[in-house]
Amino acid sequence: MSQRDQILIVDDETQLIQLLKIELEETEKYSVDLAFDGAEAITALQKKVYDLILLDIKMPRVSGMEVLKFLQENYPDSQVIILSRYSDVKTVVESIKLGAYEFIGKPYDFDELLIVIERALERKRLFIKNRLMENELSKVSTHEIIGSSPVFKSVVNNALKVASSDVSILIEGASGTGKELIAHLIHKNSPRKGSPFVAVNCAAIPDTLLESELFGYERGAFTNAYTAKAGLVEVANGGTLFLDEVGDISSSIQPKLLRFLETGNFRRVGSTNELHVDIRVISATNKNLSKEIQNGNFREDLFYRINTFPLSMPLLKDRKEDIPELVEFFLTKKDKSKNP
């Protein structure tokens, strides 16, 4: 089953939005939460990451414009569609300036609203694809899974068997054995294949930056944090987070990662509010984590959390029959790069 897009409807017309929630969820494409005024909306947004917000303008306590400003400052990737009976030119222009995707007057046609919703969600997907530089990610293709030796085919077959589940996977093996290729293979054969695959090289990011890269930060959290920034776990929402070289994560970050893996909850750096995302985690390491645990460098409880299903990549010396196939592949690839 594909992942549903998360929608928050914010409106003080109780019966209207309860009916809209039912209609949207009947499509089996969306999961919908409700907020009955702007204050409730901001509280909900501080607890969960939403793909789309359907927002009224005129509400008690906190107006829709205030909610829109909050979204622009804290969750700029979330798409907003304004649903309002007040469609004067000034209000429309102001809402668009504040980042709203579309302004739809009430009463609205449900089928037309669905079309706008899908366009807004597609816009968000394009934003994420640009951020991830999809052209770079796409060069890692499942067609590059080369090898027909029994030991390698066993790894591939096991990866495909577990792809449809949501368990955490730990891929062990020396550098250059194809751990990230297997992670891509699992993602592309999983129910999450239409959502982002986000790779994080934990060994390449300094300890002081890794937490903010993973979980994001709030405006003013540290020097030069002029705007809030979503972390990679938010970018990966609905998809797969690949933690490469997870054995290099420092002891100060490990407890925070463990808690995130247990609950799906996290805090941006500089925030006291918890957010929740739905992702699948695949980890990889070239270290012997059992020895790292014995040496006090890696938490045992974190190891068991990421190691629900282990995969072990064979060394090339253990799959010598694959060498001719690999040589042919890389020579062909080199020729194509010279003569595109």
Side-chain angles (χ1 to χ4, degrees), residues 285-300:
T285 183
N286 61 6
K287 293 185 175 181
N288 184 327
L289 292 187
S290 295
K291 287 186 177 179
E292 293 297 308
I293 292 169
Q294 292 175 4
N295 295 333
N297 298 325
F298 202 81
R299 292 177 64 113
E300 187 173 13

Side-chain angles (χ1 to χ4, degrees), residues 29-269:
K29 297 169 67 175
Y30 315 111
S31 178
V32 182
D33 293 335
L34 303 179
F36 299 102
D37 60 47
E40 283 189 19
I42 290 175
T43 299
L45 290 165
Q46 290 174 330
K47 296 179 180 178
K48 185 175 179 179
V49 177
Y50 289 95
D51 300 296
L52 176 73
I53 294 87
L54 300 176
L55 181 63
D56 189 17
I57 293 295
K58 302 290 185 180
M59 293 181 293
R61 296 205 290 171
V62 177
S63 72
M65 286 301 183
E66 291 301 314
V67 176
L68 197 51
K69 291 175 183 176
F70 176 83
L71 282 162
Q72 186 186 50
E73 292 177 358
N74 295 280
Y75 307 101
D77 287 342
S78 295
Q79 300 299 297
V80 180
I81 297 173
I82 302 295
L83 299 178
S84 179
R85 300 187 191 281
Y86 304 91
S87 55
D88 60 278
V89 174
K90 182 180 179 181
T91 303
V92 173
V93 171
E94 186 179 358
S95 66
I96 298 301
K97 283 184 177 179
L98 287 172
Y101 173 74
E102 186 64 272
F103 193 110
I104 298 177
K106 295 178 182 176
Y108 51 81
D109 180 83
F110 179 70
D111 291 333
E112 290 180 4
L113 177 60
L114 281 180
I115 292 171
V116 177
I117 286 173
E118 278 304 307
R119 286 175 180 168
L121 290 170
E122 182 58 29
R123 182 178 185 237
K124 179 182 179 180
R125 294 180 192 113
L126 287 173
F127 284 163
I128 291 175
K129 285 179 181 179
N130 288 337
R131 181 178 300 172
L132 295 174
M133 297 181 294
E134 191 182 42
N135 60 319
E136 288 294 318
L137 290 177
S138 63
K139 68 185 180 184
V140 183
S141 168
T142 55
H143 295 302
E144 295 181 10
I145 301 289
I146 305 299
S148 54
S149 62
V151 64
F152 187 68
K153 285 176 67 176
S154 175
V155 174
V156 172
N157 290 337
N158 285 334
L160 292 173
K161 286 178 184 177
V162 78
S164 60
S165 73
D166 233 10
V167 299
S168 298
I169 297 170
L170 177 62
I171 307 172
E172 299 174 297
S175 298
T177 52
K179 297 188 291 295
E180 186 167 352
L181 284 172
I182 293 297
H184 270 280
L185 177 70
I186 293 168
H187 173 72
K188 290 181 179 182
N189 287 273
S190 76
R192 298 177 180 269
K193 62 184 178 182
S195 297
F197 176 94
V198 179
V200 187
N201 187 336
C202 300
I205 303 174
D207 290 347
T208 52
L209 296 179
L210 183 58
E211 182 180 0
S212 61
E213 282 294 309
L214 284 174
F215 302 125
Y217 55 81
E218 295 293 344
R219 183 176 58 178
F222 46 80
T223 304
N224 296 329
Y226 300 119
T227 61
K229 180 184 176 182
L232 295 176
V233 298
E234 288 182 62
V235 176
N237 194 21
T240 302
L241 181 69
F242 176 57
L243 298 175
D244 197 11
E245 304 307 345
V246 70
D248 289 283
I249 293 179
S250 70
S251 58
S252 63
I253 305 296
Q254 287 179 31
K256 297 174 183 179
L257 177 61
L258 174 63
R259 185 175 182 279
F260 169 69
L261 294 177
E262 289 175 339
T263 65
N265 297 331
F266 66 98
R267 292 188 180 97
R268 289 179 176 178
V269 175

